Amino acid sequence: MMNIAIPILTMAALGFFFALGLAVAYQKLKVEEDPKIEMVFELLPMANCGACGFSGCHAFAVAVVKGEVEPNGCPVGGEEVATNIADALGLSAGEVIRKVARVHCRGNREAAKTRGQYLGIPSCAASHLVGGNKQCSFGCMGFGDCVDACLFDAMYMGNDGLPVILEEKCSACGKCVDACPRGIIELHPIAQNIMVFCQSLDSGKTARKVCKNACIACGICVRACPEGIIMEDNLAKITDQTKISPEQITAIEKCPTKAIGRIHKEEYER
Amino acid sequence: MELLALFISAILVNNFVLYYFLGICPFLGVSKKIDSALSMGLAVTFVMTITAVVSWMINHWILIPYKLDYLQIVSFILVIASLVQLVEMFIRKASPALYQALGIYLPLITTNCAIMGLALLAALKNFSFLKTVTFGIGSGLGFTLAIVLMASIREQLDLSDVPKPLKGAGIALIVAGIMALAFQGFSGMIK
């Protein structure tokens, strides 16, 4: 009998001793945390992608509870999460406009001329340091830093050497935007259906020489819709998508290099 | 002199990570940045030292007198788990940033076999109290040394062109293996 009792009592005593120690330590070292933070944290998608501008989902939850950001600050969660958080905290959710990343370059292998063979580290950041592999110093280099940065498998490198974004998977976290050393990727509202597929600020002559699909600053689009499109540093720029009527879009699509136009679904199925 | 030899051998010759291959989980998990690796090493050193002291006391004052040696593993786990809880609470209070950086690996010190290995080895070799403490501090510093070296190498690795199939854990394990080979060079130092 004693053979069983002694070990049991010993372990119980030890356990009690340590539990007591921890209980005392807990009281001394307690960290006060708003229970709301935990509540908001559990509603988040837990992607920890940092798209909201905070270091992770927990940091975002802290900021929402403190009122530093609106509940709709999480681009990954979108409207659903925003509503849930707003309900939980008794706030208004605010409107969530779903955005997607889009590539402002059509300088694929066929269209854009190369400067020579680049044999360095296969990354856009490294290639950009030495001026890139293409004659166009604004276009996509095609090493896929953006694809590597994507946390949601929403990007892949197309056969023509340009990244492809799967809009249904894109959560607009902005990782690819940051990854691109040339700032070719931008976030657009998903409803926007017309864009400029070029970033080149070269003069029309140079731009045309280095890439068949470059904006050559001819101004056809600006003449078609002066309210919504302007020419800035040899590059057409859409200032207000809402002012472009469907007829004007047809006129805009006369662009000789197709550097501006509708976003076609086929674009994403290369 | 004997204590010094034990201390040095715990750091270099019988290094827990690179000789016994214990505690590989945090060794690979928290060795991406030197700062957090150092903090992790120090946290493990602290837990190891206190574990060595407390487990010696439990072993020699309670378990051996009552012939309960077979309870060693259970009671040592109890000691380690409680200490890790304590360290976790302390770090959370003292440095929330460090708490975030260590993340899941902090509570995982509980299941770090290096610490369990330390308590059991000290009991097995029947070390005196002083020797146990020396062994604990030495082993902790040895772990810190290994993890900080590893972190320095991995910071450099991030900048180098690693072949794709080896990226991440693959190259880390290869580096760990080469480090272990290098540490074998110390084995002739102390008989």
Side-chain angles (χ1 to χ4, degrees), chain A residues 167-184:
Chain A
E167 298 206 339
E168 60 274 21
K169 282 191 182 170
C170 178
S171 61
C173 69
K175 289 269 180 210
C176 51
V177 178
D178 296 338
C180 181
R182 291 184 164 175
I184 295 166

Side-chain angles (χ1 to χ4, degrees), chain A residues 110-265:
Chain A
E110 270 173 32
K113 292 201 182 109
T114 53
R115 286 172 66 210
Q117 206 181 356
Y118 172 78
L119 292 172
I121 301 167
S123 93
C124 303
S127 170
H128 181 59
L129 285 177
V130 294
N133 51 354
K134 287 177 178 163
Q135 290 185 11
C136 173
S137 53
F138 300 91
C140 174
M141 291 169 281
F143 292 110
D145 283 14
C146 47
V147 177
D148 291 342
C150 185
L151 297 171
F152 300 92
D153 281 337
M155 293 184 98
Y156 64 94
M157 189 49 74
N159 291 327
D160 58 355
L162 290 178
V164 183
I165 297 167
L166 303 165
E167 298 206 339
E168 60 274 21
K169 282 191 182 170
C170 178
S171 61
C173 69
K175 289 269 180 210
C176 51
V177 178
D178 296 338
C180 181
R182 291 184 164 175
I184 295 166
I185 305 175
E186 273 175 32
L187 299 180
H188 287 182
I190 196 163
Q192 179 171 344
N193 62 353
I194 173 165
M195 64 182 269
V196 181
F197 297 97
C198 186
Q199 288 280 83
S200 171
L201 304 179
D202 282 333
S203 70
K205 204 176 150 203
T206 322
R208 169 154 240 170
K209 213 167 76 190
V210 298
C211 177
K212 273 192 245 166
N213 293 348
C215 172
I216 53 171
C218 64
I220 285 185
C221 51
V222 181
R223 280 195 294 282
C225 180
E227 308 86 42
I229 302 172
I230 53 164
M231 189 63 67
E232 210 179 69
D233 296 331
N234 295 320
L235 181 66
K237 193 176 165 197
I238 297 170
T239 47
D240 194 348
Q241 145 98 20
T242 52
K243 289 200 181 127
I244 305 173
S245 66
E247 300 84 63
Q248 283 170 328
I249 293 182
T250 321
I252 287 166
E253 290 199 313
K254 294 224 170 74
C255 174
T257 56
K258 303 281 171 269
I260 183 169
R262 276 199 200 91
I263 297 153
H264 293 292
K265 191 73 189 142

Side-chain angles (χ1 to χ4, degrees), chain B residues 115-156:
Chain B
I115 294 164
M116 193 68 196
L118 170 99
L120 288 176
L121 271 178
L124 188 76
K125 293 186 177 170
N126 219 354
F127 280 159
S128 69
F129 181 73
L130 264 181
K131 269 187 163 178
T132 309
V133 177
T134 318
F135 189 51
I137 300 175
S139 305
L141 290 179
F143 180 86
T144 313
L145 178 73
I147 196 172
V148 169
L149 283 178
M150 183 70 173
S152 335
I153 297 176
R154 283 182 81 175
E155 282 194 353
Q156 291 296 313

